[in-house]
Amino acid sequence: MTLESLKPGHRARIAAIDWGALPPADAKRMRALGFETGVEVGMAHHGVFGGRDPVAVSIGRMTIALRKSQASAISLEAD
Amino acid sequence: MSENFRVALLGNPNCGKSALFNKLTGARQKIANYPGVTVERVAGILALPDGTQAEVIDLPGAYAFDASSPDEEVTRQVVQGEFPGEAEPDVLVLVLDAGNLEQHLVFAQEVLALGKPTIVALNMIDMAERDGLKLDATVLSQALGVPVIETVAVRRRGLDDLKSAIADARAQIGTHADRPVMDATERRLEARTIAKATVYQTSKARRVGDRLDSVLLNPWAGPLILLALLFVIFQAVFAWAAPLTDALDGGAGALGAWVEGALPESFLRDLLTEGIIAGVGSVVVFLPQIVILFLFILIMEATGYMARAAFLMDRLMAGVGLSGRSFIPLLSSFACAIPGIMATRSIADPKDRLTTILIAPLMTCSARLPVYAVIIAAFIPAREVGWGIGLQGLVLLALYLAGIVGALIVALVLRGTLTKGGATGFIMELPRYQLPSVGDIALGLWQRAWVFLRRAGTIIFSATVILWVLLSFPQAEPGESQVDASFAGQIADGLNVVLEPIGFNREISLALIPAMAAREVAVASLATTYAIDAENEEAEAEGLASTLSNRWSLPTALAFLAWFVFAPQCLSTIAVARRETNGWKWPLFMVGYLFALAYIFAGITYWSAVALGL
Ligand SMILES: Nc1nc2c(ncn2[C@@H]2O[C@H](COP(=O)(O)OP(=O)(O)O)[C@@H](O)[C@H]2O)c(=O)[nH]1
Ligand SMILES: [Mg+2]
């Protein structure tokens, strides 16, 4: 399962991140915000209207807005 | 004593650098050019306890030196002494959010590795406590090897200690401390270890703001709340400002009449009343509207709601190839395109950023308000169209929407052609909600009001005086109109050849020339031109609005409004676009396409109105 399909209010650990699928600048920014294998993330809020894009992800003590296309590069551990 | 030493504040975005900066320097700040919302270089003087002074600069927030956006790059260059024209800072004050130490310590490692004299301000202690965290600053200080001062910027807590620490750091200026240089992974591990040791009591990451977010970011309620808020803002700009604007207007009129009576008939008296008081006065009356608009923008920024608005707008912006990040610069551009264009520095993708710069002038800035307000007052009847909505307000709303729709279409076209590029993403931290600090908001408002008044006192003042001189000479023969005879009249005759087909008269052509400096000058110039004309005809001096409604046809007035939706009549905007895009190519393109749109749409408006028999 990847991050964009995590349900609001649920948490999971990052299993892997497909850095190659992200534009280099996005990858850099996401690394700087602490996205990496083994870190716990949560789905805080889904976005607006039909597409529910972007999503708000909680990581550490922060909430980060991401597009679903970016979140889909992050695979989660199954629990 | 030696000259001032230089202190730079830096840290992740939203750690409280600007709040700390305001408290350290008080009102003694110098803002280079125009103040942006969070990106401009701001410098101030800090008085130290020992009676000496330091120059403090507030740097843009950065997550890392390895920049992924232009404002982070500014921070890196300044700190490393590579920024042209900016001396390297002697002492660094590294601001950390006590409530999010693990994250903030990552950048801290990078800053400390520079080896410069550094002081850590462990800020937002109050918020950390509210979240149930307890921290030990001594442990942090030992781990980092630098002094750590606990601060609460908004409540002045720890400020004196911070000042003494800055004064003490003076002894180390020029020394280099050998601190470990680590790679990104090592920094993160180290940050985690230090944070664990420092925070001796922790809590679940649940924050008070989560409950607010579940309403404000609700997929359905969120956008409606944002829309309602935007509606309230625009309503306030007009309704709340009206009595103040009227008072200023009355004041300017009374001043003019007083000067008229107090001074003998002379060249100087005419310059004062027709040139300066009529011209500058007609612009200054819009100060209340500008202040109110900025008040809302500053509050949205300070509370943390602005980032939520960007989140909500991302979907819409994605539709035209931009991202939610463009929303903040574009919203600021409703006040003024200059801070708007500067705020684009937080957009990482260069093509996204360029597109946002190119469409920012289409947002209806406050300088257009004087123009719109005068024409609407003169030509649109103050009639209700139902539900308490006035026709005048509706026309104004239509003008705002025309700018927004125009901007979205232009963005879509540009993203498919000139600024084509891969789909951009959207990554943005949603900061904690905060109660805004009244002092910081007041200071921000004062700075923006001051910029506006300075503009009125310099650019608009000179433009009106020059225009007045050009209009007053050479003197008309008896029986000839002064405006016809003047230099300005002759220049306008030339321009009028081009502008006549879109319904403009000679006075408009005349007003458009000095209005290249700034849009609101158009109102000042019309006021000055008709004041001279009125004197010439020995007519009763009347308000500008009634003068216009007697002399212009409705199609002409509508075409004039349409022109100002698009026309890039603002030298400062062009200059800032040149600076931000590093060259003339894009500003020239911007000016060209905007004038073309202005001409086409003014023409369409004029001829449609004529055809409809208006
Ligand atoms: N409660 C609390 N709020 C703070 C403190 N310092 C700053 N703030 C608020 O945090 C928000 C972000 O601060 P700002 O100075 O703009 O952060 P910057 O991005 O680092 O310049 C503002 O609303 C400030 O009023 C603090 O110590 N305690
Ligand atoms: Mg700031």
Side-chain angles (χ1 to χ4, degrees), chain A residues 26 28-34 36 45 47-49 52-56 60-67 70, chain B residues 66-68 72 99-100 103 188 203 207 213-214 219-220 311-312 314-315 322-323 424-428 430:
Chain A
D26 290 2
K28 206 187 265 181
R29 173 56 45 93
M30 282 166 69
R31 278 208 172 93
L33 288 166
E36 62 177 287
H45 300 281
V48 289
F49 299 141
R52 297 291 150 94
D53 203 14
V55 294
R61 304 187 81 88
M62 292 179 291
T63 308
I64 309 289
L66 283 181
R67 289 240 177 106
Q70 295 163 310
Chain B
D66 170 18
S68 46
E72 282 182 321
N100 192 11
Q103 164 68 18
R188 197 156 276 286
S203 68
R207 301 184 309 212
D213 268 342
S214 61
W220 301 97
F311 178 84
L312 294 171
D314 182 61
R315 199 63 264 282
L322 295 173
S323 84
T424 57
F426 174 60
I427 307 174
M428 187 173 207
L430 303 180

Side-chain angles (χ1 to χ4, degrees), chain B residues 12-19 123-124 126-127 151-154 302 434:
Chain B
N12 281 21
N14 297 308
C15 60
K17 291 175 301 296
S18 301
N123 194 35
M124 303 216 183
D126 58 332
M127 296 293 269
T151 59
V152 177
V154 288
Q434 295 270 351

